[in-house]
Amino acid sequence: MTSRISSRFVSWGGLPLGGVLGGAAGSAFGAAATLWIGAAGMTLSFLPAFLSPLRTPRGTSLTTR
């Protein structure tokens, strides 16, 4: 139960920050440009995990043979 509460705290804690940043970007760039920026950011959000060394298995029984 503690992990579920922690994950809610982390995920819901970013919502006000995202709202403020989205509102500021909407005011500065306009609604259409802000939506395109958000779409591009969501599309590219997989890159840190994809390029990290965590996706390669290490020390498993399949790689030691």
Side-chain angles (χ1 to χ4, degrees):
M1 177 136 161
T2 304
S3 65
R4 187 172 65 198
I5 293 170
S6 298
S7 66
R8 282 186 183 177
F9 177 76
V10 170
S11 64
W12 290 356
L15 290 176
L17 178 63
V20 169
L21 291 176
S27 295
F29 304 119
T34 301
L35 288 173
W36 279 109
I37 291 168
M42 288 173 50
T43 302
L44 297 175
S45 66
F46 78 98
L47 282 178
F50 183 72
L51 297 175
S52 74
L54 294 175
R55 65 183 184 97
T56 57
R58 174 180 64 159
T60 62
S61 62
L62 296 175
T63 59
T64 57
R65 289 184 186 183

